[in-house]
Amino acid sequence: MKYIIILTCIFSLLSAAGKKAAGMDSGPSVVRRPALCAAVIYNGEIPDEAYHLYDWLIVEPGNPSIGVLKRKFYLKHTAKLIAYVSLGETNVSAPYYGKVEKYAIGKNAVWNSAVMNLADKNYTDFLLDSVLPKLAARGFSGFMFDTLDSYRLAAPESEWPEFRRAEVKFIEEVRKKFPGKLIIVNRGFSIMDSIHGDINGVIAESLFKGLNGSMGYADMSKTGSAWLLSKLEAVKNGYGLPVIVIDYVNPINSSEAEADARKISSYGFIPWVTDRSLSVIGASNVKFVRRRIIVICNAMRGIGKLQEFNYVKVKAEAVKKRGGGQVVGRPTPNLIRMPLEYLGFVPETFYVNGKLPGGFLADRYAGAVVYVGRIKNKERFYAWVRRAVRNGLKVFFINDFGFPETGKFLSGFGIKVFENKASVESGYKIIHAEKGAGFEIPTRLSHDYELLMPNSEKGVKRIVTVKNIHGQEYSPFSLTPWGGYAMDNSFMNGDTALWVYNPFKIFREIFKPDFPVPDATTENGRIMMFAQIDGDADFGYTDFNDKEFIADYLTKHILERYRVPVTLSVITADLMGRPYGLHVKDAAKLRNLFRRIFRYKNIEIASHTFSHPFDWPALVHGSSEPGLNLPVPHYKFSVKKEIKGSVGWINRVLAPKGKKVAVLLWSGDCLPPERALKMIYGLGIYNVNGNNTSISGRHPFLKSIAPMGRNKGRYFQINAAVTNEDIYTNLW
């Protein structure tokens, strides 16, 4: 399962090699990765891919993404995380500002920070004895010291030599105290002769592109560029140190940023061309492949709790039993995720009424698919979409925009809106349809009171064009330069969850993937076998021998006979004694049995939770209704007990020496909350189960194929690559 996650981060160097083979590139025949590549990201989300792609990742240590990255135990061969440390200034938002403000000698009004007295040993000792050790303890591989020249803003020129001596002494002390850490400085040319032996690299900003006094993007003067270029070449050639150049370009102008990165590289420097807040994935000497796609959907609220529904109709009696009204199932983001995954994309689900991804987005996402119904704040969502499109993110809408189909909202997308003069009964005539209609279901357009027609401009492709009895021509399905839309069941029938057009072809045409696609079903060209036992009936006796445990029979006739790798789990409440044990009479025998089983080399130990929750959302939201999990005596549901408790108990009581739980197999509806996934990652184990692929000759539809998993925030739940036996036996 680790391949499912890690293979989504393949470097674009493979993509470049593939293009060359296809005759798409006139560059060198061999694509080589640069000797060193670096990224500088202070603000916003730091994606997992960045941790794989760059050698050095210079970050603001307070960025929340750092904790997420470090929790993802499967991230191997990763970037060295280097902590940003402002040496000559301290921002008022710094966690230790209150302890050092007494050492301030001036202010930098542009950044709302205090200029610090580097000549005061008490200040530098505080950094050496308090700030840097804490960063080292958090696992940072080094420090990037910024604002070395800020003393010039507050101290008279006659005192500058004293500050320089203090900086040299500080760098020497850092090297002595942290001999294995990387040290990078921003500029520091005036002390380079004294510190070059103690540092590992130099950063400089604004060589060719930078910021003006009002923080706007600007070209640097030729004189300024020439001066800085001479200093950087002296560092590179005279001291043999790697030089990272940070230039600033509006991220909307990606071609300008890429051209600037190539220019910086031509001088032998490591480029990072970013935005003014250092929050985007910048142009570099390697290309960041945008594999992720935003999928925006509704979080369905039904039967008294928040839940993601599969495409099923909830039985009326089940709804009534739980005190809710009639709930009709609807397609979930799974329908969108699976075709995107097949194309090599990594879908990320967001709920339209919740927190949507912020920031620039087009630097790290290939696009967005919007599949929503009613939403709370239409104006808010419209503003999000408009900003994303203006910044270059391709957005595609299916069956609903999420905001009204009026000129006020759609004119900005180049779509004309006019009233439908025809009645529901009068029908329509399709006057144009691209080849491929009827992929899973014939075209049956629903009636719409507003008709849409995109403007005739370059890049617009009308997939379906319709005329009504009043001669009004409109297009419910069109692709556009900014993405496109498919309304009125013209692409996917929302009532049946069947595709009118092939989603693989349509999504390929919209988002244009041009990279290798990882195959989660094979390894080294051989089909992978997945074998797991959820352990629901471990405690039971066989039907043909009421004195033999099912687990014992399984062990003798399968696990011992066929030594293939199997992930085997237990429900801990089944095997415990009092007060929680469900089968106290047989618990000791069962524990001894599983101690023996878990010693087998072909058995991977797993937990199937503590009480086997059947309905995770209901339990998480505080429901105490009977039947939501196993009736464990004296037990009140706890996510921590289900995960940490079950894993810890198995490790202590059942696992042999040197072997631990490696996987948690989700139970019941397999809809754990984000905090449960976060807990799993914190334990350093994998998680599997959710959805079921049930495609068959009777139901040969894409909706019956589950995606590889689902994301909950920054964490990923892996669907089992198998089908439950009750599914393929038609509930026995």
Side-chain angles (χ1 to χ4, degrees):
M1 61 211 80
K2 62 185 178 182
Y3 301 105
I4 294 175
I5 305 169
I6 295 175
L7 285 177
T8 59
C9 298
I10 296 174
F11 290 165
S12 62
L13 303 172
L14 295 176
S15 177
K19 289 182 182 179
K20 175 65 183 177
M24 298 168 62
D25 195 326
S26 59
S29 58
V30 178
V31 180
R32 291 189 175 90
R33 191 174 188 274
L36 182 67
C37 52
V40 187
I41 307 173
Y42 295 160
N43 303 297
E45 177 226 3
I46 302 172
D48 296 4
E49 300 96 311
Y51 213 37
H52 285 288
L53 184 55
Y54 306 105
D55 299 303
W56 291 353
L57 188 51
I58 302 169
V59 298
E60 166 58 52
N63 190 313
S65 294
I66 303 301
V68 176
L69 290 172
K70 286 186 170 296
R71 199 171 285 113
K72 294 186 174 180
F73 56 94
Y74 56 81
L75 291 176
K76 307 296 183 184
H77 309 294
T78 52
K80 293 183 181 297
L81 281 180
I82 300 170
Y84 170 90
V85 179
S86 182
L87 179 59
E89 299 179 23
T90 303
N91 194 278
V92 295
S93 62
Y96 53 86
Y97 177 77
K99 296 181 180 180
V100 299
E101 60 179 327
K102 58 188 174 184
Y103 305 121
I105 57 174
K107 289 204 72 173
N108 184 336
V110 176
W111 297 107
N112 192 27
S113 56
V115 178
M116 308 308 295
N117 186 359
L118 290 171
D120 190 327
K121 193 172 184 300
N122 291 316
Y123 170 64
T124 53
D125 282 351
F126 176 79
L127 296 179
L128 282 165
D129 299 335
S130 181
V131 176
L132 300 187
K134 288 179 181 178
L135 294 174
R138 288 175 58 190
F140 286 98
S141 299
F143 317 107
M144 194 285 279
F145 294 112
D146 193 18
T147 61
L148 271 67
D149 299 328
S150 292
Y151 59 82
R152 300 184 183 189
L153 298 173
E157 189 171 355
S158 60
E159 296 179 7
W160 291 1
E162 183 182 359
F163 283 90
R164 291 170 185 159
R165 287 192 293 271
E167 286 180 334
V168 171
K169 180 67 174 176
F170 176 78
I171 296 296
E172 290 174 348
E173 291 296 322
V174 174
R175 175 51 67 213
K176 289 178 184 177
K177 190 161 188 172
F178 305 97
K181 300 295 184 184
L182 295 168
I183 300 176
I184 303 170
V185 298
N186 190 343
R187 299 202 176 201
F189 302 129
S190 60
I191 58 172
M192 195 58 61
D193 284 341
S194 301
I195 66 171
H196 68 86
D198 289 324
I199 64 176
N200 302 93
V202 173
I203 277 183
E205 301 170 70
S206 306
L207 177 56
F208 302 117
K209 306 281 185 178
L211 304 172
N212 56 32
S214 58
M215 297 300 290
Y217 298 101
D219 292 337
M220 296 294 96
S221 68
K222 291 184 178 179
T223 303
S225 294
W227 176 86
L228 182 54
L229 192 59
S230 66
K231 294 290 185 183
L232 296 179
E233 288 186 323
V235 170
K236 178 175 69 76
N237 299 325
Y239 303 120
L241 290 169
V243 173
I244 302 168
V245 171
I246 303 174
D247 268 11
Y248 299 100
V249 171
N250 190 324
I252 294 175
N253 304 322
S254 57
S255 58
E256 180 185 352
E258 290 169 0
D260 187 49
R262 288 194 295 271
K263 185 175 181 180
I264 294 168
S265 290
S266 70
Y267 288 93
F269 307 139
I270 302 163
W272 185 253
V273 186
T274 184
D275 69 323
R276 58 188 165 211
S277 63
L278 292 103
S279 62
V280 303
I281 305 300
S284 178
N285 50 357
V286 292
K287 186 175 176 61
F288 182 93
V289 174
R290 297 177 302 152
R291 287 181 173 270
R292 292 190 289 164
I293 286 187
I294 298 165
V295 178
I296 299 178
C297 65
N298 285 84
M300 296 295 290
R301 187 171 292 278
I303 48 182
K305 62 190 181 296
L306 191 68
Q307 183 175 11
E308 290 177 78
F309 282 96
N310 289 321
Y311 192 78
V312 294
K313 289 187 176 180
V314 179
K315 293 181 180 180
E317 58 269 24
V319 176
K320 184 177 180 181
K321 178 183 175 183
R322 295 187 181 175
Q326 176 105 24
V327 178
V328 178
R330 62 164 293 166
T332 70
N334 286 348
L335 290 167
I336 311 299
R337 295 183 70 106
M338 192 278 291
L340 291 172
E341 287 177 345
Y342 178 84
L343 295 173
F345 291 113
V346 181
E348 287 189 3
T349 301
F350 295 88
Y351 299 118
V352 69
N353 290 317
K355 185 179 179 181
L356 296 175
F360 182 70
L361 300 180
D363 60 322
R364 62 199 67 199
Y365 289 102
V369 178
V370 177
Y371 187 39
V372 299
R374 296 178 181 177
I375 67 174
K376 293 177 182 177
N377 193 329
K378 298 176 176 60
E379 296 279 355
R380 166 183 169 268
F381 181 57
Y382 174 75
W384 183 91
V385 172
R386 288 293 294 147
R387 182 170 61 252
V389 169
R390 279 197 303 270
N391 289 342
L393 188 75
K394 287 203 169 186
V395 180
F396 184 70
F397 300 89
I398 299 177
N399 286 342
D400 204 319
F401 287 100
F403 41 80
E405 293 181 13
T406 64
K408 171 187 174 182
F409 289 96
L410 294 181
S411 60
F413 294 98
I415 301 174
K416 298 175 184 177
V417 184
F418 46 99
E419 183 183 356
N420 189 350
K421 297 179 181 179
S423 65
V424 176
E425 298 82 9
S426 58
Y428 57 85
K429 180 180 180 182
I430 297 177
I431 60 176
H432 170 74
E434 290 289 313
K435 291 181 179 179
F439 177 65
E440 287 187 327
I441 191 173
T443 305
R444 293 192 182 94
L445 301 178
S446 57
H447 182 82
D448 204 333
Y449 293 99
E450 288 81 34
L451 304 181
L452 311 177
M453 182 63 84
N455 296 335
S456 298
E457 59 177 301
K458 185 178 180 181
V460 170
K461 181 178 181 180
R462 295 167 186 165
I463 304 297
V464 177
T465 307
V466 180
K467 181 184 289 188
N468 63 21
I469 61 170
H470 293 282
Q472 294 177 295
E473 289 189 14
Y474 60 100
S475 175
F477 187 178
S478 288
L479 307 186
T480 66
W482 49 263
Y485 65 90
M487 300 292 118
D488 308 336
N489 294 322
S490 57
F491 175 35
M492 192 267 288
N493 189 297
D495 296 324
T496 61
L498 299 179
W499 297 96
V500 178
Y501 278 87
N502 185 333
F504 305 106
K505 291 184 178 180
I506 296 297
F507 288 149
R508 184 185 296 278
E509 189 166 355
I510 296 168
F511 301 117
K512 298 178 172 52
D514 61 348
F515 38 67
V517 177
D519 186 346
T521 69
T522 63
E523 183 178 0
N524 299 325
R526 304 175 71 180
I527 295 175
M528 287 192 281
M529 184 187 78
F530 295 86
Q532 68 180 67
I533 300 172
D534 282 0
D536 290 44
D538 291 335
F539 61 89
Y541 291 93
T542 64
D543 290 342
F544 41 83
N545 184 351
D546 61 7
K547 294 182 180 179
E548 183 174 32
F549 289 119
I550 292 172
D552 197 16
Y553 183 89
L554 175 74
T555 303
K556 292 176 183 176
H557 296 277
I558 297 179
L559 300 180
E560 291 181 351
R561 184 174 179 183
Y562 306 103
R563 292 300 180 99
V564 297
V566 176
T567 298
L568 188 148
S569 69
V570 295
I571 302 166
T572 55
D574 281 341
L575 310 183
M576 298 177 76
R578 291 184 175 88
Y580 297 121
L582 284 168
H583 308 282
V584 175
K585 176 174 166 284
D586 294 326
K589 294 178 183 177
L590 286 166
R591 289 195 295 272
N592 288 331
L593 172 60
F594 279 99
R595 288 188 186 107
R596 175 164 59 89
I597 294 172
F598 287 155
R599 286 197 292 269
Y600 297 158
K601 291 183 178 180
N602 61 311
I603 299 301
E604 181 178 60
I605 306 176
S607 167
H608 198 40
T609 73
F610 177 79
S611 72
H612 198 289
F614 299 112
D615 193 327
W616 281 86
L619 289 166
V620 168
H621 284 80
S623 176
S624 57
E625 179 185 345
L628 297 178
N629 57 342
L630 294 175
V632 179
H634 312 290
Y635 174 59
K636 183 179 179 181
F637 175 80
S638 158
V639 171
K640 184 176 180 180
K641 186 75 171 178
E642 296 295 336
I643 296 171
K644 285 188 175 181
S646 68
V647 170
W649 187 86
I650 294 170
N651 284 337
R652 290 192 308 273
V653 179
L654 303 181
K657 186 178 179 180
K659 193 173 181 181
K660 301 291 185 183
V661 172
V663 186
L664 186 134
L665 300 175
W666 298 111
S667 64
D669 59 10
C670 300
L671 292 174
E674 181 179 353
R675 61 191 169 100
L677 282 164
K678 181 179 178 180
M679 199 176 291
I680 288 286
Y681 277 79
L683 291 173
I685 63 175
Y686 291 100
N687 75 97
V688 178
N689 274 350
N691 286 292
N692 275 289
T693 290
S694 56
I695 192 167
S696 66
R698 286 187 175 186
H699 300 95
F701 305 116
L702 295 184
K703 68 179 180 180
S704 300
I705 303 176
M708 286 191 282
R710 67 167 189 154
N711 67 289
K712 292 295 288 183
R714 292 290 303 277
Y715 303 100
F716 191 72
Q717 176 183 341
I718 303 166
N719 287 338
V722 295
T723 299
N724 274 9
E725 72 281 2
D726 57 330
I727 301 298
Y728 65 73
T729 58
N730 196 25
L731 300 180
W732 295 106

